[in-house]
Amino acid sequence: MDVTKVIDAKGLACPMPIVRTKKAMNDLESGQVLEVHATDKGAKSDLSAWAKSGGHELLKDTEENDVLKFWIKKG
Amino acid sequence: MSVNMMTAHEVAKKVFNKEELFILDVRNQDAFADWKIEGENFDYLNIPYFELLDGVDEVLDKIPSKKEVLVVCAKEGSSVMVAEMLSDEGLTVSVLQGGMKAWSEHLEPVKVGDLKGGGEVYQFVRIGKGCLSYMVLSDGEAAIIDATRMIDIFIDFARSKEAKITNVFDTHLHADHISGGRKIAEQTGATYWMPSQDAQEVTFTFTALEGGQAVTIGNTAIDIHALYTPGHTIGSTSFVVDDKFLLTGDILFIDSIGRPDLAGRAEDWVGDLRESLYSRYRELSSELIVLPAHFMIIDELNEDGSVGEKLGVLFQQNHGLNIEDETEFRRLVTENLPPQPNAYHEIRETNMGIIDPEEEKQREMEIGPNRCAVR
């Protein structure tokens, strides 16, 4: 996957993963992909809901060793 | 700007006292739809916090100026952020301390009655999740029934009453919340009882609860009679305490009856459920006060916050006890059941000692409402 930017929100509690993601997303062009790393369990449902409400597309998410990774395509 | 913190205890008091409160719930919509803080005179607005990151303008005119406002989220962080933004706009709002996580784990002890020999019975109302636990106190001894995993509150409460915990019971193998019974027994040296028919796969030692037994708590003659009433699970056991209280576990609730499907055996157990509800309970005194292990809706709370009603009243008013036709009864408890509780299979395995998830995982498994009943 062609990732334009990666943000590390590991160790951050809600609402910071979303705050960081939103900020980073502002710097991307439509169609570009942002990769987000987080450890807050709530990030999963919040990021998918946030992406949906903002018109972005959550392409994929994984969980490895308690690290949640998300790939979001800017809408 | 700093915002006020409101504890789960303070919110619970508002529920009990039927006070007004405006709740701005900033969790995402699915979470809010699934489970929220319930109060008879509470009003709600649900807007996810991530829609307010650029400002709270869109909610300002939806928040009443005359009501107390509480901002709620999953764990506190995002509600603090939103509350600070509202506070900067000149509003006075509070935040639920610890968020829904704290709400889910909060227990409120309520006295439900005295015993003939001078003892007392307390109900521990887990208001956010609808779980009810019990403590029977008599002459320096305490018995705990259907404890939740937040065991400190029980141990501390018994200590404050200068009582030694001697016996801990589970009415059945729970599927909707993680039992604290075994851990309390380990910490206090008490005897841990559970129905042997629900314990066939458990990995720890316990004392088998069989129908017809009596256990004495304290020096005064307080007997707990075990009454075998299968149906919700095959081992589900009820207790009659001091000829006055009937602890029904998950067989009979105030406004509903137990569901027989959480171990995947609805068809097999529906007959037992009917037998327990329609024959065994009929033989008991209608003056007994029914104390169930759960409540489903906030309307079931009495004036003082307790949950309980005379058996005779339930025989008149509880729909589940008034279905003459056995086929219709069978249909009620096997078809159109509500969704099963969150992670109920893993919760059962935890309660059997087969898995031992870490605390954060246990918390997550229990999130959401209890769904043990059918109406």
Side-chain angles (χ1 to χ4, degrees):
Chain A
M1 202 179 311
D2 201 5
V3 174
T4 310
K5 192 172 186 174
V6 179
I7 58 165
D8 181 4
K10 292 198 294 288
L12 297 177
C14 178
M16 290 319 289
I18 294 266
V19 171
R20 292 271 177 96
T21 304
K22 184 174 187 296
K23 215 171 159 201
M25 198 59 117
N26 287 342
D27 301 334
L28 297 194
E29 305 287 332
S30 180
Q32 290 185 324
V33 175
L34 179 70
E35 183 177 324
V36 181
H37 299 180
T39 46
D40 188 288
K41 297 274 181 213
K44 191 167 177 171
S45 54
D46 284 7
L47 267 173
S48 20
W50 170 79
K52 206 172 161 189
S53 83
H56 310 299
E57 189 186 352
L58 179 60
L59 300 172
K60 188 181 157 191
D61 67 272
T62 62
E63 182 174 355
E64 293 165 39
N65 305 322
D66 291 330
V67 178
L68 302 160
K69 293 184 182 178
F70 306 89
W71 288 267
I72 308 166
K73 186 170 157 188
K74 182 160 177 167
Chain B
M1 206 179 282
S2 71
V3 295
N4 308 319
M5 282 289 174
M6 197 184 287
T7 61
H9 169 71
E10 290 170 303
V11 180
K13 286 290 168 203
K14 287 183 189 296
V15 176
F16 287 4
N17 298 332
K18 305 190 194 305
E19 289 174 40
E20 291 193 341
L21 185 66
F22 185 87
I23 295 180
L24 173 61
D25 194 320
V26 298
R27 291 174 301 152
N28 71 54
Q29 287 159 346
D30 293 352
F32 178 76
D34 192 41
W35 176 55
K36 65 176 190 289
I37 297 177
E38 307 269 0
E40 213 167 287
N41 294 309
F42 291 3
D43 288 316
Y44 308 90
L45 176 63
N46 171 226
I47 296 188
Y49 68 92
F50 49 75
E51 292 182 10
L52 301 172
L53 293 178
D54 292 329
V56 289
D57 291 355
E58 62 166 304
V59 291
L60 284 179
D61 61 349
K62 292 177 187 155
I63 295 174
S65 53
K66 287 182 183 150
K67 276 188 188 169
E68 194 170 6
V69 177
L70 179 68
V71 189
V72 171
C73 69
K75 285 178 294 192
E76 185 184 297
S78 49
S79 53
V80 169
M81 180 189 72
V82 172
E84 282 175 351
M85 292 164 90
L86 291 168
S87 167
D88 288 344
E89 298 291 334
L91 272 66
T92 306
V93 298
S94 303
V95 164
L96 173 61
Q97 192 169 52
M100 290 303 278
K101 185 174 92 175
W103 185 243
S104 172
E105 297 188 345
H106 182 70
L107 297 175
E108 199 69 37
V110 182
K111 185 173 166 177
V112 287
D114 292 310
L115 299 170
K116 289 195 288 277
E120 300 171 292
V121 177
Y122 280 83
Q123 184 176 56
F124 289 72
V125 182
R126 188 176 180 184
I127 183 100
K129 206 174 151 58
C131 299
L132 301 167
S133 309
Y134 296 90
M135 191 181 292
V136 178
L137 291 154
S138 169
D139 199 28
E141 284 190 33
I144 300 172
I145 299 110
D146 289 332
T148 63
R149 73 181 158 77
M150 286 72 73
I151 64 171
D152 291 348
I153 184 162
F154 300 103
I155 293 171
D156 293 345
F157 192 83
R159 193 178 294 136
S160 77
K161 292 281 180 181
E162 293 174 3
K164 180 179 163 49
I165 299 168
T166 53
N167 290 275
V168 182
F169 301 86
D170 269 310
T171 53
H172 63 286
L173 182 75
H174 296 278
D176 71 302
H177 70 269
I178 294 163
S179 168
R182 178 165 47 112
K183 291 226 163 75
I184 293 174
E186 276 167 13
Q187 282 197 18
T188 61
T191 304
Y192 177 55
W193 301 77
M194 73 179 292
S196 50
Q197 279 169 292
D198 277 2
Q200 287 165 5
E201 295 171 65
V202 308
T203 59
F204 46 83
T205 53
F206 64 97
T207 305
L209 201 54
E210 312 283 353
Q213 288 166 319
V215 179
T216 303
I217 308 298
N219 294 329
T220 47
I222 295 172
D223 296 332
I224 296 178
H225 299 279
L227 172 76
Y228 178 52
T229 46
H232 176 65
T233 63
I234 193 65
S236 288
T237 299
S238 303
F239 302 111
V240 177
V241 178
D242 200 34
D243 295 324
K244 187 171 176 185
F245 302 100
L246 173 62
L247 275 62
T248 54
D250 282 1
I251 290 291
L252 173 62
F253 306 107
I254 302 302
D255 191 35
S256 54
I257 57 174
R259 62 191 286 174
D261 65 314
L262 294 182
R265 302 274 296 278
E267 294 294 334
D268 294 352
W269 292 350
V270 60
D272 289 330
L273 181 64
R274 187 163 173 96
E275 162 82 14
S276 295
L277 291 175
Y278 284 72
S279 302
R280 296 188 190 211
Y281 281 168
R282 288 271 173 195
E283 292 162 16
L284 302 173
S285 161
S286 58
E287 291 299 304
L288 287 174
I289 296 166
V290 171
L291 299 173
H294 290 103
F295 65 92
M296 198 158 87
I297 50 172
I298 208 78
D299 296 358
E300 294 178 48
L301 264 58
N302 298 324
E303 289 292 312
D304 60 356
S306 69
V307 177
E309 183 54 272
K310 278 189 180 173
L311 183 59
V313 173
L314 296 192
F315 272 121
Q316 285 168 12
Q317 296 177 0
N318 189 315
H319 171 67
L321 290 177
N322 287 288
I323 303 169
E324 291 292 324
D325 183 54
E326 198 164 336
T327 317
E328 192 191 326
F329 180 83
R330 186 169 282 270
R331 201 177 299 133
L332 173 80
V333 299
T334 56
E335 293 174 16
N336 299 319
L337 289 169
Q340 290 168 319
N342 191 37
Y344 73 101
H345 186 66
E346 290 81 6
I347 290 174
R348 284 169 50 83
E349 287 190 331
T350 308
N351 287 336
M352 288 190 270
I354 294 170
I355 57 172
D356 185 19
E358 55 186 77
E359 196 185 2
E360 192 58 37
K361 176 71 185 162
Q362 294 194 13
R363 186 173 280 149
E364 195 187 308
M365 284 157 61
E366 286 191 339
I367 281 295
N370 84 75
R371 295 190 174 117
C372 309
V374 288
R375 281 176 93 198

